[in-house]
């Protein structure tokens, strides 16, 4: 399995008050930064949604893949 460290830094007009990390549509973390484990040879869609103190939301989605072989 591979891991990717992710840091939620999307800019909004206000102060960020909430974070929601989803992997394949399921919330996995509500912290600013998280680590996602991707099974070897698999691909997962990771989405970060942030909310600011005015209720505005912004989202960013990325596809994260893991190698099919281990590094030597």
């Amino acid at each position: 399995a591979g891991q990717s460290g992710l840091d939620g830094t999307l800019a909004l007009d206000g102060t960020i008050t909430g974070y929601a990390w989803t992997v394949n549509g399921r919330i996995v973390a509500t912290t600013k930064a998280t680590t996602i484990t991707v099974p070897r040879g698999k691909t997962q869609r990771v989405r970060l949604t942030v909310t600011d103190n005015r209720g505005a939301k912004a989202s960013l989605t990325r596809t994260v893949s893991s190698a099919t072989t281990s590094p030597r």
Side-chain angles (χ1 to χ4, degrees):
Q3 291 188 337
S4 178
L6 304 171
D7 180 7
T9 53
L10 293 176
L12 298 173
D13 291 338
T15 302
I16 296 175
T17 58
Y19 300 86
W21 292 93
T22 60
V23 175
N24 297 328
R26 185 176 60 90
I27 294 177
V28 297
T30 56
T31 55
K32 180 178 180 180
T34 191
T35 300
I36 304 296
T37 300
V38 180
R40 183 175 296 161
K42 299 292 183 180
T43 300
Q44 295 183 336
R45 289 177 46 91
V46 178
R47 180 181 189 103
L48 168 63
T49 302
V50 295
T51 306
D52 73 9
N53 59 323
R54 297 176 181 163
K57 293 185 181 208
S59 296
L60 179 67
T61 303
R62 292 287 185 253
T63 300
V64 179
S65 299
S66 179
T68 56
T69 58
S70 298
R72 294 179 188 250

